[in-house]
Amino acid sequence: MQSSENEYLTIALPKGKLFPLAVDLFREAGISADGLTDSSRKLVITNEAQKVKFIISKTADVPTYVEYGAADIGIIGKDVLVESGQDVYELLDLGFGKCHLMMAVPKDKKRDKLTDYTHTRVATKFPHIAEKFFNEHGMQMEYIKLNGSIELGPIVGLSESIVDIVETGTTLKENNLEEIVHIMDASARLVANRVSFRLKFDRIYSLTEKMKQILTERAEGNK
Amino acid sequence: MKPMLKNSLKIPYGTRDFLPLEAACKRSIESSLMNLFTKWGYDEIVTPSIEYLDTLTIGNGQAIEPHMFKFFDRQNRTLALRHEMTTPIARVVASRMRDAVRPLKFSYVSNVFRYEQAQAGRQCEFYQAGVEFMGPSTAEADAEIIALAIQGLKQCGLENFTVCIGQIEFINGLMSEFNFSDETQINIREALEKRNLVKLHEIIEQTQLPERSKKILSSLPLLHGDKEILKKAWDIACNEQSRRALDNLSAIYQLLESYGVAEFVKFDLGVIRDFDYYTGMVFEIYTPEMGFPLCGGGRYDRMLSDFGAACPSTGFALGIERIMLAVEREGASSETLKKDCFVAYTPGKIKTAIESAQRKRNEGLVVELAPYAMTKEEAEAYQKEKKYASLLYVE
């Protein structure tokens, strides 16, 4: 028994860097809505004709919306997804929003090897990923959760190191920090709620295939 | 309020109270399910809320262990609150009912406990109603429990739901063709279980498989749809094991047609349940607007042999709170606290009032007797306040 054909497909999009890229991709895949900008005051933007609703949310909340089924699908960085620990289906690597998660320390205070940092303080926006990483190396650390400007940690003496995402490395350089370990690569992902994936399978599946095709064409165009 | 009192008013994380109307709704769902299970020949079984940790984690407990509530008994043995009912029932069958004539058909309604991130319809303590069908390893037994689960939801007033059926052996069959290392196999299963298509794709790309096989593997999680999907699956079923799994699903589907419930059924050949536990047909039931399944179940032929008493089994568990939530959302709840008559009396008339109240109760009415003599005005006010349909004032 499915009545999903008449239902809305709800899409959660994160504010910030990924937003315009995500909107572009959806537009190319034939889905859009009037007034879809992340400066919009409206938090839910609906396209009645296409039976689509966009939810614009804080980056870290996208996995939550999707896991709880408040959104059927969403676009989110792999880093945020792993940190959230939310149980969602990961359908597609969108390739954009590429960055990597790493550990960095002040250049002048670099130690010989990773384990020399055991029991030191690490400032990060990603305490779960960091803890998992250090645990795998048998290291206990003191985690200091910050919400932005992580690089400040070592400068003001709040921590000995940082675990953060890096795109180009400019910020690190400007703050005299040096990457010492690569932790994981990240990029934007298309995610889906486990129930929506089944109840709205046809729509989600064809959208995924369309996006896959667009991404392949883009990749070929760049060659 | 005194500060100390404030603390003692908290309840532990992931637990909840059911206030009278909620409790009534819960009770009505539970009793209609139990009634139904009884009609289908399933006998109720009750087991302890606490068991030895070793019992509950037999076979595959590694994954669930961190989610269990654990403590010690006086001999320092580790106890745990049951996290589901299948394992305790399997223990009973492997011990006290070892020699009982098969098949065995059990039903239960009970609370179970898991450390989870609490959310609507998912607490750390939650209630399940379910059945276990132990003995036959036939499609008939599997179809019976699916049909019963569907019937159960319908009985609760739900109409808008979908049953997704899969078959663990289909994937096991395919995997056995590819000669993966243990590690790759574990990784692929994990990716399939979590529907991490990105990871699945990465793992597949790293293998040396021919293109066709890569394609087959990556299409697995997308084998979803009505019975036509079984035909599509035939094209990639490359050995006896995977073909047997599909035959099994076709047989189950035909039986579900006989039960008249095939309209609810879809197939999903990417795995939908835990690999280590299930051995054949698996299913989940979903309803729109709810991010998690209402029901899960399947065939688990190995569990009883882990207890040393091999016995093929199949079963399911329905989440009571999730059904309550779905019933509420579908507006199918008609639950009210039924109040028929308030019996009040003037001073000295208590004896007559008691007799009248008893007589009415014997007639099957819900009757409240005033706790003390009151005036007619007071009685009328109370009747209105408590919403009693009628008032009997004994003068």
mmCIF file of all heavy atoms in Angstrom, chain A residues 55-81:
data_model
loop_
_atom_site.group_PDB
_atom_site.id
_atom_site.type_symbol
_atom_site.label_atom_id
_atom_site.label_comp_id
_atom_site.label_asym_id
_atom_site.label_seq_id
_atom_site.Cartn_x
_atom_site.Cartn_y
_atom_site.Cartn_z
ATOM 1 N N ILE A 55 14.080 22.040 3.104
ATOM 2 C CA ILE A 55 14.290 22.539 4.461
ATOM 3 C C ILE A 55 15.703 23.101 4.503
ATOM 4 O O ILE A 55 16.650 22.409 4.132
ATOM 5 C CB ILE A 55 14.204 21.409 5.501
ATOM 6 C CG1 ILE A 55 12.856 20.723 5.459
ATOM 7 C CG2 ILE A 55 14.484 21.941 6.900
ATOM 8 C CD1 ILE A 55 12.756 19.562 6.434
ATOM 9 N N ILE A 56 15.841 24.367 4.910
ATOM 10 C CA ILE A 56 17.173 24.944 5.002
ATOM 11 C C ILE A 56 17.588 24.943 6.471
ATOM 12 O O ILE A 56 16.926 25.565 7.302
ATOM 13 C CB ILE A 56 17.166 26.374 4.440
ATOM 14 C CG1 ILE A 56 16.629 26.325 3.005
ATOM 15 C CG2 ILE A 56 18.559 26.970 4.484
ATOM 16 C CD1 ILE A 56 16.399 27.677 2.402
ATOM 17 N N SER A 57 18.657 24.220 6.782
ATOM 18 C CA SER A 57 18.978 24.060 8.197
ATOM 19 C C SER A 57 20.456 24.302 8.469
ATOM 20 O O SER A 57 21.268 24.384 7.551
ATOM 21 C CB SER A 57 18.608 22.658 8.663
ATOM 22 O OG SER A 57 19.655 21.759 8.398
ATOM 23 N N LYS A 58 20.782 24.374 9.747
ATOM 24 C CA LYS A 58 22.186 24.457 10.125
ATOM 25 C C LYS A 58 22.879 23.173 9.678
ATOM 26 O O LYS A 58 22.296 22.090 9.753
ATOM 27 C CB LYS A 58 22.308 24.589 11.646
ATOM 28 C CG LYS A 58 22.437 26.017 12.111
ATOM 29 C CD LYS A 58 22.794 26.047 13.582
ATOM 30 C CE LYS A 58 24.303 26.001 13.790
ATOM 31 N NZ LYS A 58 24.712 26.513 15.097
ATOM 32 N N THR A 59 24.099 23.305 9.216
ATOM 33 C CA THR A 59 24.839 22.160 8.682
ATOM 34 C C THR A 59 24.737 20.929 9.574
ATOM 35 O O THR A 59 24.381 19.846 9.118
ATOM 36 C CB THR A 59 26.328 22.541 8.540
ATOM 37 O OG1 THR A 59 26.387 23.762 7.831
ATOM 38 C CG2 THR A 59 27.070 21.476 7.793
ATOM 39 N N ALA A 60 25.040 21.101 10.855
ATOM 40 C CA ALA A 60 25.131 19.945 11.743
ATOM 41 C C ALA A 60 23.785 19.261 11.957
ATOM 42 O O ALA A 60 23.723 18.131 12.422
ATOM 43 C CB ALA A 60 25.710 20.380 13.090
ATOM 44 N N ASP A 61 22.689 19.942 11.588
ATOM 45 C CA ASP A 61 21.363 19.374 11.836
ATOM 46 C C ASP A 61 20.828 18.522 10.691
ATOM 47 O O ASP A 61 19.859 17.792 10.867
ATOM 48 C CB ASP A 61 20.354 20.485 12.149
ATOM 49 C CG ASP A 61 20.689 21.204 13.447
ATOM 50 O OD1 ASP A 61 21.377 20.596 14.288
ATOM 51 O OD2 ASP A 61 20.278 22.367 13.615
ATOM 52 N N VAL A 62 21.459 18.636 9.512
ATOM 53 C CA VAL A 62 20.937 17.902 8.357
ATOM 54 C C VAL A 62 20.831 16.390 8.628
ATOM 55 O O VAL A 62 19.774 15.795 8.389
ATOM 56 C CB VAL A 62 21.765 18.183 7.084
ATOM 57 C CG1 VAL A 62 21.384 17.237 5.962
ATOM 58 C CG2 VAL A 62 21.556 19.627 6.644
ATOM 59 N N PRO A 63 21.885 15.744 9.164
ATOM 60 C CA PRO A 63 21.760 14.301 9.411
ATOM 61 C C PRO A 63 20.625 13.968 10.380
ATOM 62 O O PRO A 63 19.964 12.936 10.237
ATOM 63 C CB PRO A 63 23.110 13.910 10.024
ATOM 64 C CG PRO A 63 24.055 14.993 9.631
ATOM 65 C CD PRO A 63 23.229 16.244 9.521
ATOM 66 N N THR A 64 20.386 14.849 11.333
ATOM 67 C CA THR A 64 19.314 14.611 12.297
ATOM 68 C C THR A 64 17.952 14.633 11.610
ATOM 69 O O THR A 64 17.133 13.744 11.792
ATOM 70 C CB THR A 64 19.344 15.683 13.406
ATOM 71 O OG1 THR A 64 20.688 15.810 13.864
ATOM 72 C CG2 THR A 64 18.435 15.318 14.553
ATOM 73 N N TYR A 65 17.726 15.681 10.782
ATOM 74 C CA TYR A 65 16.458 15.754 10.056
ATOM 75 C C TYR A 65 16.230 14.481 9.256
ATOM 76 O O TYR A 65 15.134 13.947 9.194
ATOM 77 C CB TYR A 65 16.443 16.951 9.099
ATOM 78 C CG TYR A 65 16.162 18.273 9.785
ATOM 79 C CD1 TYR A 65 17.160 19.210 9.980
ATOM 80 C CD2 TYR A 65 14.880 18.572 10.231
ATOM 81 C CE1 TYR A 65 16.906 20.418 10.610
ATOM 82 C CE2 TYR A 65 14.613 19.780 10.863
ATOM 83 C CZ TYR A 65 15.633 20.694 11.049
ATOM 84 O OH TYR A 65 15.377 21.872 11.672
ATOM 85 N N VAL A 66 17.298 14.015 8.615
ATOM 86 C CA VAL A 66 17.138 12.856 7.736
ATOM 87 C C VAL A 66 16.954 11.578 8.549
ATOM 88 O O VAL A 66 16.087 10.769 8.254
ATOM 89 C CB VAL A 66 18.322 12.733 6.754
ATOM 90 C CG1 VAL A 66 18.181 11.471 5.912
ATOM 91 C CG2 VAL A 66 18.393 13.963 5.860
ATOM 92 N N GLU A 67 17.726 11.411 9.612
ATOM 93 C CA GLU A 67 17.565 10.170 10.376
ATOM 94 C C GLU A 67 16.163 10.055 10.954
ATOM 95 O O GLU A 67 15.558 9.002 10.938
ATOM 96 C CB GLU A 67 18.582 10.036 11.514
ATOM 97 C CG GLU A 67 18.435 8.653 12.151
ATOM 98 C CD GLU A 67 19.175 8.428 13.443
ATOM 99 O OE1 GLU A 67 19.834 9.351 13.942
ATOM 100 O OE2 GLU A 67 19.083 7.301 13.955
ATOM 101 N N TYR A 68 15.643 11.168 11.454
ATOM 102 C CA TYR A 68 14.322 11.117 12.078
ATOM 103 C C TYR A 68 13.184 11.091 11.057
ATOM 104 O O TYR A 68 12.035 10.961 11.416
ATOM 105 C CB TYR A 68 14.145 12.314 13.013
ATOM 106 C CG TYR A 68 14.944 12.217 14.297
ATOM 107 C CD1 TYR A 68 16.221 11.699 14.323
ATOM 108 C CD2 TYR A 68 14.402 12.662 15.492
ATOM 109 C CE1 TYR A 68 16.950 11.617 15.499
ATOM 110 C CE2 TYR A 68 15.114 12.585 16.673
ATOM 111 C CZ TYR A 68 16.392 12.064 16.674
ATOM 112 O OH TYR A 68 17.109 11.986 17.836
ATOM 113 N N GLY A 69 13.527 11.260 9.780
ATOM 114 C CA GLY A 69 12.490 11.192 8.767
ATOM 115 C C GLY A 69 11.760 12.512 8.554
ATOM 116 O O GLY A 69 10.788 12.565 7.814
ATOM 117 N N ALA A 70 12.233 13.595 9.198
ATOM 118 C CA ALA A 70 11.616 14.903 8.974
ATOM 119 C C ALA A 70 11.958 15.364 7.561
ATOM 120 O O ALA A 70 11.212 16.108 6.936
ATOM 121 C CB ALA A 70 12.108 15.920 9.985
ATOM 122 N N ALA A 71 13.109 14.933 7.055
ATOM 123 C CA ALA A 71 13.453 15.113 5.647
ATOM 124 C C ALA A 71 13.685 13.724 5.067
ATOM 125 O O ALA A 71 14.199 12.841 5.751
ATOM 126 C CB ALA A 71 14.709 15.962 5.506
ATOM 127 N N ASP A 72 13.273 13.533 3.784
ATOM 128 C CA ASP A 72 13.469 12.223 3.152
ATOM 129 C C ASP A 72 14.918 12.055 2.720
ATOM 130 O O ASP A 72 15.499 10.991 2.854
ATOM 131 C CB ASP A 72 12.567 12.092 1.924
ATOM 132 C CG ASP A 72 11.105 12.179 2.306
ATOM 133 O OD1 ASP A 72 10.718 11.467 3.252
ATOM 134 O OD2 ASP A 72 10.366 12.962 1.680
ATOM 135 N N ILE A 73 15.454 13.129 2.142
ATOM 136 C CA ILE A 73 16.839 13.081 1.688
ATOM 137 C C ILE A 73 17.521 14.391 2.079
ATOM 138 O O ILE A 73 16.855 15.342 2.501
ATOM 139 C CB ILE A 73 16.954 12.875 0.152
ATOM 140 C CG1 ILE A 73 16.222 13.989 -0.582
ATOM 141 C CG2 ILE A 73 16.412 11.530 -0.252
ATOM 142 C CD1 ILE A 73 16.428 13.947 -2.092
ATOM 143 N N GLY A 74 18.842 14.416 1.949
ATOM 144 C CA GLY A 74 19.554 15.630 2.293
ATOM 145 C C GLY A 74 20.930 15.617 1.666
ATOM 146 O O GLY A 74 21.390 14.584 1.158
ATOM 147 N N ILE A 75 21.557 16.783 1.683
ATOM 148 C CA ILE A 75 22.930 16.859 1.214
ATOM 149 C C ILE A 75 23.776 17.348 2.370
ATOM 150 O O ILE A 75 23.408 18.302 3.061
ATOM 151 C CB ILE A 75 23.043 17.783 -0.009
ATOM 152 C CG1 ILE A 75 22.497 17.044 -1.230
ATOM 153 C CG2 ILE A 75 24.499 18.223 -0.238
ATOM 154 C CD1 ILE A 75 22.674 17.757 -2.529
ATOM 155 N N ILE A 76 24.891 16.642 2.608
ATOM 156 C CA ILE A 76 25.692 16.969 3.780
ATOM 157 C C ILE A 76 27.134 16.508 3.586
ATOM 158 O O ILE A 76 27.367 15.519 2.894
ATOM 159 C CB ILE A 76 25.061 16.312 5.039
ATOM 160 C CG1 ILE A 76 25.724 16.822 6.307
ATOM 161 C CG2 ILE A 76 25.104 14.802 4.975
ATOM 162 C CD1 ILE A 76 25.582 18.304 6.535
ATOM 163 N N GLY A 77 28.075 17.223 4.186
ATOM 164 C CA GLY A 77 29.472 16.812 4.111
ATOM 165 C C GLY A 77 29.710 15.527 4.890
ATOM 166 O O GLY A 77 29.121 15.315 5.943
ATOM 167 N N LYS A 78 30.600 14.691 4.355
ATOM 168 C CA LYS A 78 30.902 13.421 5.002
ATOM 169 C C LYS A 78 31.443 13.643 6.416
ATOM 170 O O LYS A 78 31.177 12.852 7.331
ATOM 171 C CB LYS A 78 31.923 12.660 4.153
ATOM 172 C CG LYS A 78 32.401 11.334 4.725
ATOM 173 C CD LYS A 78 31.338 10.261 4.660
ATOM 174 C CE LYS A 78 31.880 8.927 5.164
ATOM 175 N NZ LYS A 78 30.827 7.912 5.296
ATOM 176 N N ASP A 79 32.205 14.719 6.599
ATOM 177 C CA ASP A 79 32.766 15.017 7.926
ATOM 178 C C ASP A 79 31.659 15.216 8.963
ATOM 179 O O ASP A 79 31.669 14.603 10.033
ATOM 180 C CB ASP A 79 33.676 16.264 7.854
ATOM 181 C CG ASP A 79 33.005 17.425 7.131
ATOM 182 O OD1 ASP A 79 32.147 17.169 6.268
ATOM 183 O OD2 ASP A 79 33.321 18.595 7.434
ATOM 184 N N VAL A 80 30.657 16.027 8.600
ATOM 185 C CA VAL A 80 29.552 16.295 9.520
ATOM 186 C C VAL A 80 28.738 15.020 9.747
ATOM 187 O O VAL A 80 28.292 14.728 10.859
ATOM 188 C CB VAL A 80 28.648 17.408 8.956
ATOM 189 C CG1 VAL A 80 27.477 17.676 9.886
ATOM 190 C CG2 VAL A 80 29.453 18.674 8.736
ATOM 191 N N LEU A 81 28.577 14.251 8.680
ATOM 192 C CA LEU A 81 27.810 13.013 8.754
ATOM 193 C C LEU A 81 28.450 12.026 9.735
ATOM 194 O O LEU A 81 27.790 11.469 10.608
ATOM 195 C CB LEU A 81 27.733 12.399 7.358
ATOM 196 C CG LEU A 81 26.867 11.162 7.192
ATOM 197 C CD1 LEU A 81 25.441 11.468 7.616
ATOM 198 C CD2 LEU A 81 26.892 10.696 5.742
#
